[in-house]
Amino acid sequence: MPAVYYMLVSLLDVAGHASSSLRFIRDSPETVWALASLSLFIDTFVYMLTVSMLPEILQDSMGAPESANGVVTAMFGVGAVLGCFVSGILSDRIRERRGLQMISSLIYSVSGIVFYFARHYYQILLFRLIDGIASGVACTLLYASIGDVYPANLLAFKVAIVYFCNNIAYTIGPICGQRLFDMAGVKGPAALVIALGLLKLVALFVFSNDSLAIRSAVRSRAYVSAADDSTFSKSHESVASMSIPRLLMQPPVIISTLSIVTSIGIQCMLEGLVPLHVVDKLNHDQDNGITFVILGLVFTIMVPIVGKATDSLIEWRGETMRYYAMMFGAAATVCSVLLMALANSYAVMMVGYAFFAVADLCMFIPAQSAYGDFVNGANTDSMARGYSISVFAWALGAISLPPIGTALYSRFGFSRPSIAIAAIPCAICAIACLLFIIYDKRKHR
């Protein structure tokens, strides 16, 4: 009996330690950050998993015209916009992040079930619409959760690592999807989509508390440096909510939105034009996707570096440095596109493309973290609404500039359209940053 007693005591002691460890993990800001990274990885992986096979499914199996591919992509955009705005408004109103993210996990699995049984074109449209809704909810709330628990001088690096996971998923997703499709048809990728949705659901349920609860619990100086504006020391009960239209009237939000639309729009435009240009003008027929590998590699390596540099600048000289970074990114983007336009060899073209990747990150990373910093600094209960604007800006950039670039390329070639399309929005973005810097300096005299 004593041996059994001591065994039970030991087991209870181990269980107590395990429970304490799990409680520490659930209440840690680092867990929010890790799960946000996992969430964006799953979101991008699910999208890219099915990208490479959809043309084969639509044209070969279903006999749909090639124009159907664009409609399928548009359905994803419609779902994403719907998901981001509904979740942003609802999350701030009911003060809940984790529960809505768990719902988005189930929506991923539902989209996988629809894809698993898809036999007709309308079912593919439904799959992409549902997937878009899940993506809009997930992206809005994962960024909002990070903004809840980290101050300005740490936020850019956290966002950068989340985006790092996005780049990895972007690279390996199509390869994995095509392999699964070759082995098991549609059911292979669809089953993986279902499993990833459930994986995210379990991870959120077991390992994480709601980020708003964590924010209240860890509002201490451990996460706030001397350069911070005491964001977490403010009373949470005193905050007021801002509507999306009112948020869009705030200069930091306007500038950040413009920066994201510009960076994502130019990036997506070049992703469509560069492969055409290297074949048509630079006689590089055997590309085999190496252009995108180079771009993805530079993005993957540089994104944490740019994030850390942004945080260091803000900690060194204050929040204004964020706008200097975006202004530098806008100017560097124009220079990189000019180098690409003047390139007379594939090697020079790739140097310009790599330079563009770095410049693009200098616009995107400071802008993406600015929403959380503004909401925290303004002490307003509108974090999810702010990041719903960010997701919408991302979608707007992805669907606005690429069609313009493609249409102009067919008539004028690569150089003039790419320079013009890059220069105009980058100039507007840089001027807006400069005006805000001047305004901020006069305000604090």
Side-chain angles (χ1 to χ4, degrees):
M1 287 295 293
V4 174
Y5 171 76
Y6 285 120
M7 185 180 295
L8 288 174
V9 170
S10 299
L11 289 173
L12 289 173
D13 188 51
V14 170
H17 282 297
S19 176
S20 177
S21 299
L22 182 60
R23 191 179 305 112
F24 175 79
I25 292 171
R26 287 174 59 88
D27 292 338
S28 171
E30 283 76 12
T31 304
V32 173
W33 179 31
L35 289 177
S37 301
L38 174 66
S39 180
L40 190 58
F41 176 87
I42 289 175
D43 176 71
T44 305
F45 188 81
V46 166
Y47 181 82
M48 298 305 297
L49 188 75
T50 54
V51 161
S52 61
M53 70 191 70
L54 278 178
E56 186 173 347
I57 295 171
L58 291 171
Q59 275 76 63
D60 297 346
S61 301
M62 298 181 177
E66 292 184 355
S67 59
N69 298 356
V71 178
V72 170
T73 302
M75 289 302 291
F76 179 86
V78 170
V81 170
L82 178 64
C84 75
F85 282 129
V86 171
S87 64
I89 295 171
L90 184 62
S91 178
D92 284 337
R93 182 165 296 175
I94 67 175
R95 298 191 50 72
E96 175 70 35
R97 306 275 195 259
R98 176 171 166 261
L100 293 176
Q101 289 185 78
M102 292 170 69
I103 291 174
S104 76
S105 304
L106 289 174
I107 298 174
Y108 280 123
S109 295
V110 170
S111 73
I113 294 171
V114 172
F115 192 45
Y116 189 91
F117 293 103
R119 298 294 181 271
H120 304 284
Y121 175 53
Y122 75 89
Q123 292 170 319
I124 298 295
L125 290 176
L126 181 61
F127 157 67
R128 264 303 187 234
L129 176 65
I130 297 174
D131 182 31
I133 293 172
S135 178
V137 175
C139 290
T140 297
L141 297 182
L142 71 89
Y143 284 118
S145 296
I146 298 174
D148 286 336
V149 297
Y150 285 106
N153 62 301
L154 298 177
L155 194 54
F157 180 70
K158 308 304 179 184
V159 168
I161 295 300
V162 173
Y163 195 59
F164 173 84
C165 295
N166 170 82
N167 291 335
I168 295 175
Y170 184 87
T171 303
I172 68 174
I175 300 172
C176 296
Q178 193 61 51
R179 291 289 179 87
L180 286 171
F181 182 71
D182 293 339
M183 289 189 298
V186 171
K187 294 184 177 180
L192 184 55
V193 172
I194 297 170
L196 289 172
L198 295 176
L199 171 65
K200 180 185 169 185
L201 174 67
V202 172
L204 287 167
F205 181 78
V206 174
F207 295 110
S208 181
N209 202 348
D210 191 274
S211 60
L212 289 172
I214 295 173
R215 176 189 177 91
S216 298
V218 301
R219 200 176 308 167
S220 66
R221 292 293 175 181
Y223 291 95
V224 183
S225 72
D228 187 62
D229 59 358
S230 302
T231 294
F232 291 155
S233 65
K234 295 177 181 178
S235 172
H236 196 70
E237 285 71 29
S238 66
V239 299
S241 179
M242 280 192 188
S243 65
I244 289 177
R246 188 179 172 193
L247 279 170
L248 282 170
M249 295 175 64
Q250 309 305 312
V253 175
I254 295 173
I255 295 170
S256 299
T257 301
L258 179 60
S259 183
I260 291 176
V261 171
T262 300
S263 64
I264 297 300
I266 296 173
Q267 177 188 335
C268 292
M269 178 195 70
L270 291 178
E271 286 175 355
L273 297 189
V274 170
L276 296 174
H277 180 62
V278 297
V279 172
D280 294 342
K281 299 298 181 182
L282 302 181
N283 300 318
H284 193 78
D285 296 330
Q286 302 299 321
D287 186 59
N288 295 325
I290 191 64
T291 298
F292 293 113
V293 173
I294 293 172
L295 182 68
L297 183 63
V298 176
F299 270 134
T300 302
I301 293 172
M302 292 303 301
V303 67
I305 298 174
V306 172
K308 188 64 177 178
T310 301
D311 282 340
S312 298
L313 286 171
I314 292 172
E315 188 170 3
W316 175 47
R317 297 296 296 269
E319 177 63 22
T320 307
M321 296 305 295
R322 184 188 306 278
Y323 301 94
Y324 279 109
M326 285 190 280
M327 189 165 59
F328 167 79
T333 296
V334 176
C335 293
S336 66
V337 173
L338 182 61
L339 177 60
M340 295 168 67
L342 298 176
N344 56 6
S345 69
Y346 181 76
V348 177
M349 185 76 174
M350 290 302 99
V351 170
Y353 210 11
F355 180 27
F356 164 77
V358 179
D360 192 57
L361 289 173
C362 290
M363 293 184 69
F364 177 79
I365 295 298
Q368 186 72 1
S369 57
Y371 293 92
D373 179 56
F374 168 76
V375 171
N376 282 327
N379 203 29
T380 177
D381 189 14
S382 303
M383 186 70 74
R385 288 184 178 93
Y387 276 109
S388 70
I389 297 172
S390 164
V391 174
F392 175 73
W394 188 314
L396 181 61
I399 64 176
S400 59
L401 296 187
I404 299 173
T406 303
L408 293 178
Y409 177 85
S410 61
R411 184 172 180 181
F412 299 105
F414 178 80
S415 298
R416 284 184 290 175
S418 60
I419 293 173
I421 294 175
I424 294 173
C426 283
I428 296 173
C429 185
I431 292 170
C433 289
L434 180 61
L435 291 175
F436 182 80
I437 291 168
I438 295 171
Y439 165 78
D440 187 67
K441 285 186 175 181
R442 290 184 175 180
K443 180 180 177 182
H444 290 93
R445 278 182 178 177

